[in-house]
Amino acid sequence: MTSPPSDQTPCPQPGTGLRADAERNRDRILAAARRLYATEGLGVSMASVAREAGVGKATLGRRFATREELINAVFADRMDAYADAVAEALGDPDPWRGFTGYLHAVCAMQAADRGFADVLTMTFPTAKALEARRAESYNAFLELITRAKNTGHLREDFTHQDVVILQMANAGVIAATGDAAPDTWRRLVGHMLRSYAAPGAPIPPLPEAPAPRALYRAMVRLSQAGPGTT
């Protein structure tokens, strides 16, 4: 028997099609979760993710057994970018400039993705990779605080908890304003930097306040969502 021509496509190995289907399902789930988390936050149910992805709940459960596993997979790259932002700030020869730039960068990440805004203000003990990157960023940020204080520009009573408070406040502003006044977070960060700065420290210009009509639309939007919701 002669061998088949060299350009003939070989027969797929048993199970290859199943593995490809599983990988496609995983990709669909991750893409759907990213879309929903970015626009609606982490309160989205696993069932909603399955519907958005066009898969059954059993399929979702086989790929990601828990909500934390899904969150870990969705936000792994964003946590990498978060860690990179701290490293870049530490690399700035002006620690105060690195500090202010870092806060802007992190708050911009929150504004770009509502789900990530939630991730930065929550902990997920079973999402090991996510929490490892968070811990790495935390330790680097402690060093950034020390360096910025040594310049005399960062207040001595500033603590790392103040950044968690800022992230919580920023997440709330982002959720409340939505598309009605999407740049409002910049004003918040500008005011907070002024509160962190020691007398005489160089401070970036304060961003403009949102237009009254835009802020009114945001207030209407928030009232329609109901008390205690965003």
Side-chain angles (χ1 to χ4, degrees):
M1 179 182 293
T2 59
S3 60
S6 59
D7 61 349
Q8 182 172 323
T9 303
C11 294
Q13 295 297 314
T16 300
L18 293 176
R19 290 196 297 272
D21 286 344
E23 189 63 26
R24 283 194 292 270
N25 284 338
R26 185 179 189 278
D27 290 344
R28 283 201 295 268
I29 291 166
L30 289 176
R34 286 191 183 101
R35 288 193 298 271
L36 292 175
Y37 288 156
T39 57
E40 300 180 31
L42 297 186
V44 173
S45 68
M46 295 287 275
S48 295
V49 173
R51 283 195 300 271
E52 179 75 9
V55 302
K57 286 188 285 186
T59 298
L60 174 60
R62 284 194 296 272
R63 303 281 76 78
F64 303 100
T66 66
R67 171 174 172 264
E68 287 73 17
E69 285 184 15
L70 179 58
I71 289 171
N72 188 84
V74 168
F75 292 105
D77 58 340
R78 287 161 179 77
M79 286 303 291
D80 287 343
Y82 180 60
D84 290 344
V86 185
E88 183 177 346
L90 284 172
D92 194 314
D94 181 344
W96 170 246
R97 184 176 61 196
F99 174 84
T100 59
Y102 168 74
L103 292 188
H104 273 290
V106 170
C107 290
M109 290 178 195
Q110 287 186 289
D113 188 329
R114 183 175 167 186
F116 192 58
D118 291 342
V119 165
L120 289 183
T121 59
M122 299 179 184
T123 58
F124 304 93
T126 61
K128 302 299 184 184
L130 197 72
E131 292 304 317
R133 290 299 266 164
R134 189 199 302 275
E136 177 185 334
S137 301
Y138 168 78
N139 291 328
F141 183 61
L142 292 181
E143 182 179 351
L144 182 62
I145 291 174
T146 299
R147 292 186 185 184
K149 285 184 177 181
N150 288 341
T151 66
H153 296 323
L154 179 61
R155 290 172 56 123
E156 283 298 324
D157 58 358
F158 178 88
T159 72
H160 62 90
Q161 294 99 318
D162 291 319
V163 173
V164 177
I165 295 170
L166 170 61
Q167 290 172 345
M168 287 178 172
N170 194 44
V173 167
I174 291 165
T177 55
D179 294 335
D183 288 332
T184 304
W185 68 271
R186 299 182 185 276
R187 182 79 171 184
L188 170 68
V189 174
H191 277 303
M192 295 308 296
L193 284 177
R194 279 157 173 72
S195 73
Y196 302 153
I203 305 172
L206 184 65
E208 292 186 4
R213 185 178 295 275
L215 195 57
Y216 177 75
R217 287 199 301 269
M219 294 169 68
V220 170
R221 175 184 178 278
L222 189 59
S223 67
Q224 290 173 343
T229 61
T230 52

